[in-house]
Amino acid sequence: MAYLISEDGRELLKDVKDFCENEIRAQVKEYDESGEWPKDIYDMAIEMQLSMMDVPEEYGGLGLSHIDQAAIVEEIAKADAGIAVTLNGNGLALKPVLIAGNEEQKQKCCDIIMNGGWGAFALTEPDAGCDAGNSKTTAVKEGGEYVINGRKCFITNAQVADFFVVTAMTDKTQGTKGMSAFLVYKGTPGLSVGNHENKMGIRTSITSDLILEDVRIPEENRLGEEGTGFYTAMKTLDLARMWCAVIGVGICQRCVDESAVYAQQRVTFGKPIWKHQAIQFMLADMEIRTQASRALCATAIDLADSGKPFTTEASAAKCFTGDSAVKNALDAIQIFGGYGYSREYPVEMLLRDAKIFQIFEGTNEVQRMVIGRAVVGSHKI
Amino acid sequence: MEILIFVKQVPDDAVEVRLDPASGKPATGNIDKVANAFDTYALELAARYVEANGGKVTVAAMGPKGTDSMLKNLLAVGASKAYLFTDPSFETGDENAIAARLAQIAKKCEAENGAPFDLILCGKESTDEISGQVGARLAEKLGLPFVSSVIEVAPAGDKLVAKQETEDGYVKFETSMPAVYTIAKPGYDPRYPNIKAKLAARKAVVPAFSAAEAGVADAESFVELLGYTEPPKRQAGLKICEKEAADTVAKAMEILTSDRVL
């Protein structure tokens, strides 16, 4: 394991393992089919404070190291990636507040999460995904208020969130420099949530549109200065990509675990299939991808923790892990053969779960653009 | 309400234990050590009791030095005090000796807490040796009322009502306090610790006492353990693989008849 976790971290990890074994693994199959949000599992996760790992200690948080946290997130993701994505949604919503918010805003949002609440980060729009600067949502200042209008989509946790970080254009003529970020609380008039997206994978996470119709919020709900919203969102995504990669490693590892066991049980041509070199090589490649993905995550986390630039490393971790999760899931299905294609067996879900890791938090194409530009930037002639 | 729970550290019972051919003893060195499951049920029952009725839960264990790690974990799930009793003399002895030591340890815990216990709980058995005797023997040594296989405890004025699980249903007993109960599996599972409580508990220092420091005198054993044997391996079964179902049945009948089963 590339995460050098503390002794306390190991003890915590045992609890999380027990929780995943007893409360998540067997139950998620049913939720995967129904698409229902497993509130009972999330209530237990809140009791264990697994939804609060991103709250800094100075705002009442848990004081976990990021490496210990990564090992815990991976463990949850191994049991179910959708649950890890939901819990991580709180971190995603908190990050822009911690990056750009004032003390009062930070404490308020941290308190919401420490009290078992949820947050959501609302950046994506129907016409502005990776191209976030093309945002159509507007925030117009009227007296001491902003009036926000627009539609956000694919918002994780929107249906359950107590607070939203919403990006909107305060000055369209300025392009990305005309974007600002705002805190909008649940129950604000004009704020409504669309239907639950019927997704291919990570079906235990809830994803919906967020509709803002003349949503009036006080000026003090703005995060940072006007025009800094795009910068805040990009900084948020740097961190978010790292954690999204950590979840992806969980899928990679689960594929290895399932395949290694099955390859010893399944017999063809008179021997367990792992004794056929073709299967051994597949298992080896899956393991190599998993170890490499985890090492990339550990590197990005270490750099971020020590205050050094980590954008390229976070993109590399996200991109490689997303690709690896899909490849590992495909290999796992191949090792399971016909059974792998059956919904009776666990590995087909892993492929459906894995695919989103090449898409969300910036597609892997965008990650390669980020990395490619950085490579040229550091070799200027 | 002051509750004391005696907890035994055992090898993780999810792992199959084999005998070490060299020593002839169970090879448990590489198996994770955990709190005995029935003792954790006792802690959850006690934690729920004090949450509803007030009070404090103390946990105590006899064991080697590393046992404090298990006790720390229990501080995150309902115990507020923990004591470890560690001494080479504790490593041997039968259930009578163990119960005699625990009776003296209970007194030491009371002295440390500065308050007497109203209730002492043990798991109904440990998942490693499974003798199921220690709780009852402890009650005898302390001269206290005893109920075994309890799954629920409720206050009744200055008394307690203990619901005992039986094969057919349950029996309710009323006892005075203090009392000793052993705990079976209630209708709920032990709680998971939250991260903050766990991290705080991991930082706690568990006071440890030797036999001399705890004032525990040598205890007599009446039973000598002669050795361990593994259960016999199951014989491989017979496979009947005829093409037609009728032939399979005929073959099975033939075997059953020739072996004089029928």
Side-chain angles (χ1 to χ4, degrees):
Chain A
M1 183 145 194
Y3 300 141
L4 299 174
I5 61 174
S6 66
E7 199 194 322
D8 293 348
R10 273 200 295 278
E11 288 294 326
L12 275 175
L13 202 54
K14 281 187 202 164
D15 299 331
V16 175
K17 254 185 198 156
D18 283 347
F19 172 69
C20 291
E21 288 292 331
N22 302 333
E23 319 294 345
I24 298 185
R25 287 228 180 191
Q27 284 85 325
V28 287
K29 192 174 164 51
E30 194 185 318
Y31 290 111
D32 174 57
E33 278 169 19
S34 69
E36 189 191 331
W37 197 70
K39 186 173 183 306
D40 55 339
I41 295 178
Y42 290 122
D43 285 347
M44 283 188 275
I46 288 170
E47 280 293 310
M48 287 183 78
Q49 300 180 318
L50 296 173
S51 63
M52 306 165 195
M53 291 189 286
D54 286 279
V55 177
E57 206 171 4
E58 61 263 41
Y59 297 105
L62 311 176
L64 269 182
S65 80
H66 284 141
I67 289 293
D68 288 352
Q69 183 180 345
I72 290 172
V73 171
E74 179 182 325
E75 194 62 42
I76 300 167
K78 234 163 67 181
D80 185 68
I83 289 177
V85 166
T86 301
L87 298 172
N88 187 55
N90 268 355
L92 180 61
L94 256 192
K95 283 174 181 93
V97 182
L98 295 171
I99 290 166
N102 57 36
E103 285 306 302
E104 201 182 321
Q105 291 166 334
K106 288 180 191 176
Q107 192 62 60
K108 187 166 178 182
C109 292
C110 286
D111 286 348
I112 289 174
I113 288 180
M114 287 311 294
N115 287 323
W118 299 97
F121 179 55
L123 171 71
T124 303
E125 296 181 14
D127 291 322
C130 288
D131 184 13
N134 194 35
S135 171
K136 300 280 190 291
T137 301
T138 56
V140 178
K141 202 164 176 189
E142 282 183 15
E145 290 182 329
Y146 282 98
V147 184
I148 309 180
N149 277 289
R151 187 182 194 97
K152 300 284 178 179
C153 65
F154 303 135
I155 307 305
T156 302
N157 290 351
Q159 289 193 342
V160 294
D162 300 286
F163 74 90
F164 299 84
V165 173
V166 175
T167 53
M169 305 306 287
T170 37
D171 183 355
K172 277 193 167 174
T173 62
Q174 298 285 315
T176 55
K177 291 207 167 72
M179 184 185 273
S180 305
F182 302 92
L183 268 174
V184 182
Y185 296 100
K186 182 171 108 178
T188 308
L191 183 74
S192 59
V193 176
N195 284 338
H196 170 37
E197 205 73 49
N198 189 7
K199 301 190 298 295
M200 168 181 172
I202 56 165
R203 289 174 59 81
T204 46
S205 92
I206 200 166
T207 318
S208 344
D209 279 10
L210 183 71
I211 301 118
L212 300 111
E213 291 169 315
D214 288 331
V215 171
R216 287 179 174 272
I217 55 161
E219 192 180 349
E220 57 262 29
N221 282 19
R222 194 185 64 225
L223 289 169
E225 295 302 315
E226 261 193 25
T228 60
F230 188 76
Y231 172 83
T232 303
M234 292 304 110
K235 284 277 150 208
T236 298
L237 287 178
D238 280 352
L239 286 160
R241 280 166 189 160
M242 197 165 84
W243 288 104
C244 150
V246 169
I247 299 173
V249 178
I251 300 180
C252 292
Q253 184 65 54
R254 175 77 181 273
C255 292
V256 172
D257 295 348
E258 294 286 349
S259 302
V261 170
Y262 185 80
Q264 294 175 72
Q265 294 166 339
R266 174 71 174 170
V267 174
T268 63
F269 305 106
K271 51 186 173 184
I273 58 171
W274 77 268
K275 292 200 170 168
H276 302 302
Q277 207 172 42
I279 303 295
Q280 277 178 34
F281 280 16
M282 257 196 262
L283 286 170
D285 285 338
M286 291 164 78
E287 174 67 14
I288 292 166
R289 286 192 288 262
T290 305
Q291 286 192 25
S293 297
R294 195 182 288 119
L296 284 171
C297 289
T299 304
I301 292 170
D302 278 347
L303 286 171
D305 275 354
S306 54
K308 298 199 173 88
F310 64 97
T311 303
T312 322
E313 286 77 6
S315 282
K318 192 271 169 185
C319 184
F320 187 79
T321 305
D323 289 348
S324 297
V326 170
K327 281 184 189 156
N328 276 17
L330 284 168
D331 280 357
I333 293 172
Q334 194 66 21
I335 288 172
F336 274 69
Y339 295 113
Y341 200 66
S342 162
R343 297 191 80 168
E344 289 295 308
Y345 285 75
V347 287
E348 62 83 31
M349 186 184 89
L350 298 178
L351 179 62
R352 289 186 286 110
D353 285 352
K355 184 61 199 169
I356 192 63
F357 289 81
Q358 292 180 311
I359 300 171
F360 64 4
E361 320 287 19
T363 62
N364 278 8
E365 289 71 29
V366 162
Q367 307 308 325
R368 289 186 165 87
M369 283 161 63
V370 168
I371 299 163
R373 283 178 197 150
V375 169
V376 172
S378 61
H379 291 79
K380 279 260 165 66
I381 49 171
Chain B
M1 179 87 158
E2 292 281 333
I3 304 177
L4 170 66
I5 302 169
F6 283 121
V7 184
K8 184 178 184 185
Q9 180 169 272
V10 296
D12 186 347
D13 63 335
V15 182
E16 192 187 354
V17 180
R18 308 300 301 265
L19 289 186
D20 174 9
S23 68
K25 288 181 179 166
T28 56
N30 293 327
I31 303 177
D32 258 2
K33 304 294 183 292
V34 298
N36 174 41
F38 288 102
D39 304 344
T40 66
Y41 304 150
L43 176 54
E44 182 61 34
L45 183 141
R48 288 175 184 227
Y49 185 95
V50 300
E51 277 161 12
N53 305 293
K56 210 169 69 211
V57 181
T58 301
V59 287
M62 285 195 291
K65 282 212 169 63
T67 311
D68 64 336
S69 178
M70 170 199 79
L71 288 168
K72 284 181 191 180
N73 289 344
L74 300 179
L75 290 172
V77 285
S80 53
K81 286 224 164 127
Y83 300 110
L84 173 62
F85 296 86
T86 186
D87 198 279
S89 67
F90 294 164
E91 285 165 23
T92 53
D94 67 359
E95 286 77 9
N96 178 67
I98 293 166
R101 287 171 195 143
L102 292 181
Q104 297 169 77
I105 285 171
K107 299 289 171 211
K108 174 67 176 172
C109 292
E110 287 185 335
E112 287 296 313
N113 277 3
F117 294 112
D118 304 300
L119 181 61
I120 298 176
L121 303 179
C122 304
K124 74 164 188 164
E125 63 196 28
S126 61
T127 55
D128 56 352
E129 302 278 347
I130 326 183
S131 81
Q133 298 177 29
V134 172
R137 287 177 180 273
L138 172 65
E140 188 68 24
K141 304 270 177 213
L142 292 169
L144 296 179
F146 173 70
V147 185
S148 63
S149 294
V150 171
I151 51 169
E152 200 178 292
V153 178
D158 60 350
K159 294 192 163 73
L160 286 173
V161 174
K163 188 169 163 182
Q164 179 187 57
E165 184 183 55
T166 69
E167 282 187 6
D168 308 319
Y170 62 87
V171 182
K172 279 188 170 177
F173 293 97
E174 194 177 76
T175 72
S176 57
M177 291 190 276
V180 177
Y181 298 163
T182 62
I183 303 300
K185 172 79 175 69
Y188 44 76
D189 289 311
R191 67 195 60 189
Y192 296 101
N194 70 49
I195 295 174
K196 233 178 187 176
K198 183 85 175 198
L199 290 175
R202 297 299 310 168
K203 288 195 179 77
V205 177
V206 174
F209 305 98
S210 66
E213 286 165 335
V216 175
D218 260 0
E220 196 180 355
S221 287
F222 298 103
V223 177
E224 188 190 351
L225 175 69
L226 298 177
Y228 294 88
T229 49
E230 284 195 8
K233 285 206 175 73
R234 275 181 63 184
Q235 301 281 320
L238 270 177
K239 277 188 185 166
I240 304 170
C241 308
E242 304 303 313
K243 272 189 182 150
E244 299 297 326
D247 295 341
T248 306
V249 173
K251 187 83 186 270
M253 291 301 289
E254 192 189 312
I255 295 169
L256 290 171
T257 314
S258 73
D259 284 355
R260 294 170 184 269
V261 179
L262 296 177

